[in-house]
Amino acid sequence: MKQDMIVVLDLGSEENTVIAREIRSLGVYSEIHPHDITAAQINSLPNVKGIILNGGPNRIVSGERIDVLPEIRNCGIPILDSDHNGAEKWPSSAELRRKKISEFIFDKCKAEPNWNMENFISDQIEKIRAQVGSGKVLLALSGGVDSSVVAALLIKAIGEQLTCVHVNHGLLRQGEPEQVVEVFRNRMNANLIYVDASERFLTKLENISDPEKKRKIIGAEFIRVFEEEARKLDGIKFLGQGTIYPDIIESGTKTVKTVKSHHNVGGLPDDLDFELVEPLSMLFKDEVRACGSALGLPDNMVYRQPFPGPGLGVRCLGAITKDRLEAVRHSDAILREEFSLAGLEGKVWQYFTIVPDIKSVGVRDGKRADEWPVIIRAVNTIDAMTATVADIPFDLIQKITMRITNEVKGVNRVLYDFTPKPTGTIEWE
Ligand code: XMP
C-alpha cells in the first residue's frame, strides 16, 4: 500500500466526516472507525501514522461516557485527543483547526502527503486482484457515477473476469443506454450484457398511478431482470458494488443513529450468494468523480447530475404512458442541451422536466389543441435535504419554452417551479 493513513475514532463527534475530509484535503488518507476498535485491528490497517480521538456531543451512550480501549493509548502510534467538552477541543475557526490537524499529521505523525488518485487506483487494483484471484465478478452497471467508476476500476484490475449487466428499464434519459454501450463495450472493451427490458417494465407499470407502488415495481423488476441474467452466467463468485463512503456513514455509527440504511445486494435471492467487491467504499462523492476522471471516463458521465433509480418514471406523473414518457424524455433532453449551451452544466445541482397527467387548452396551427404542460425544476442544494430554486435567466427560460412547445409532441405550455424544499420536494413524486 502506498498511502499513509490517519485514523479518526468516533467518540460521539458530529464532525467525524469533516475531520476526515480535512485530513484528506491535506493530502493524507483518513478513515473513520468506531471507538471500540482494538489495537490489533488498528495494527492490521495499512500505514497508520496517527490516531485522532474525536469526542463530541454524542459521547454519552446509554448513560455512559464512552472511551477507547486503554490499549489504544499505549499502542505506540501518536494520538490527538480532542473533545468538545475537554481541554483539547477543536478551535472554533476552520482555518485554525486546519493548522492544528496539519501540525499533528505532519509534525508529530510524520505522515507523507501521498493521498492522490494515482496511488488510490494502484492500491485498489492490488486489493481487488488479491480478493478476487482468478474468480469472476458481476456488476449491475446503471450508467450512474458510482457504478460507472466501479466498472472502470474493475476493468483495469481484472479485465475479462468482469461481466457488466446494463438493464435498460425504459426510464433512462435520452442517449444514456447508448453511452453505456459506447463507453464500456466499444471503448473499454468490457464484457457488457445489454438488456433492453423497456417493454417489460412499461407493461408492469401500466395503470399504476401510486408513486410508491411505481417505485416498488421498478425496484423489484430490476432485481428480477438482473437475477435472470446472473443465473445465465456460470461460476460467478463476486458482485461488484458502487457503495461509497457516505452510504456507510449514513447507515449509522455506534454513537449516531441511522440517517438512511445502506442497501447492499437489496433483494437478490439467498442462493445467489455473492461475495461483495466494493472498491469505492472509502471515497466521498467528489473523490469518486476524480477517480472516474483519472480512469478516463467522459466528463458528462463523471460529473452528471443526480438521477433517481426509478428514473423518468417518477417524472411522468401518475400512470405512465409511452407518449407522455416520451414527452418527459424529449423535454429533459432539450433542457439539458440548453443548460449546457448556457454554461450552466455543473453550476446548477439538479434540473429536469416533469409532465403531469393533465391537459389544458391551447392553440396550434390556428386550431384548439388540448395538450400537456411541461414543468421545469431546477434546484441547488448541498445535501438534498433542503433546496433553493435556481436563478435561471428569463431569456433562457423563454428560449427553452419555445423549443419545448415547438419540438415536443403533445406539449403546449411550459411552467417553472419556483418552490424551494421545503415545502416542495425536489422530485414531484
Ligand atoms: P426529493 O424529491 O426527496 O429528492 O426532494 C431528493 C433527491 O433524491 C432523489 N430521489 C431519488 N433517488 N430513488 C433515488 O435513487 C428515488 O426513489 C428517489 N426519489 C428522489 C432526487 O432526484 C433528489 O436528488
Side-chain angles (χ1 to χ4, degrees), residues 193-208:
I193 298 173
Y194 170 72
V195 189
D196 183 355
S198 326
E199 285 299 328
R200 182 171 164 169
F201 275 82
L202 291 185
T203 307
K204 284 266 173 194
L205 287 164
E206 230 169 317
N207 300 320
I208 309 289

Side-chain angles (χ1 to χ4, degrees), residues 166-377:
H166 178 61
V167 177
N168 177 2
H169 54 25
L171 305 164
L172 296 172
R173 290 173 291 194
Q174 192 167 292
E176 277 184 331
E178 293 83 357
Q179 188 184 32
V180 169
V181 173
E182 166 59 23
V183 169
F184 290 99
R185 185 185 284 164
N186 302 351
R187 276 196 240 167
M188 295 195 168
N189 244 343
N191 253 329
L192 173 70
I193 298 173
Y194 170 72
V195 189
D196 183 355
S198 326
E199 285 299 328
R200 182 171 164 169
F201 275 82
L202 291 185
T203 307
K204 284 266 173 194
L205 287 164
E206 230 169 317
N207 300 320
I208 309 289
S209 54
D210 178 69
E212 288 315 305
K213 271 197 194 140
K214 284 163 69 175
R215 278 190 169 79
K216 281 206 176 93
I217 289 172
I218 296 165
E221 200 58 16
F222 185 89
I223 298 284
R224 223 164 285 147
V225 175
F226 185 68
E227 181 199 339
E228 284 170 21
E229 293 305 318
R231 287 195 191 286
K232 289 184 204 161
L233 301 165
D234 271 341
I236 302 272
K237 191 170 163 216
F238 300 91
L239 189 72
Q241 284 272 308
T243 311
I244 69 170
Y245 211 18
D247 297 335
I248 292 176
I249 294 169
E250 284 172 5
S251 294
T253 68
K254 290 189 176 158
T255 62
V256 185
K257 280 196 235 76
T258 307
V259 179
K260 66 180 177 196
S261 50
H262 158 52
H263 298 284
N264 261 336
V265 206
L268 276 181
D270 287 345
D271 66 321
L272 285 178
D273 187 16
F274 299 119
E275 188 183 315
L276 294 181
V277 182
E278 299 181 296
L280 306 182
S281 62
M282 285 296 157
L283 292 191
F284 293 102
K285 193 78 182 189
D286 53 323
E287 295 167 339
V288 173
R289 294 187 207 277
C291 180
S293 293
L295 288 163
L297 290 177
D299 276 2
N300 65 350
M301 196 167 234
V302 166
Y303 289 97
R304 73 176 214 168
Q305 49 170 316
F307 186 60
L312 302 180
V314 289
R315 296 173 183 172
C316 184
L317 304 188
I320 299 170
T321 57
K322 266 190 185 168
D323 48 3
R324 205 153 49 83
L325 179 62
E326 206 34 55
V328 181
R329 192 173 350 250
H330 192 176
S331 55
D332 172 77
I334 292 173
L335 184 79
R336 284 191 290 137
E337 188 183 328
E338 290 299 331
F339 267 47
S340 171
L341 286 171
L344 292 175
E345 209 172 18
K347 294 200 177 126
V348 177
W349 196 80
Q350 197 174 13
Y351 44 96
F352 53 89
T353 60
I354 300 125
V355 181
D357 191 11
I358 53 166
K359 285 188 173 175
S360 71
V361 66
V363 182
R364 194 175 289 283
D365 302 326
K367 286 193 218 121
R368 176 189 173 109
D370 294 303
E371 296 179 335
W372 303 298
V374 158
I375 299 156
I376 297 175
R377 186 89 171 120

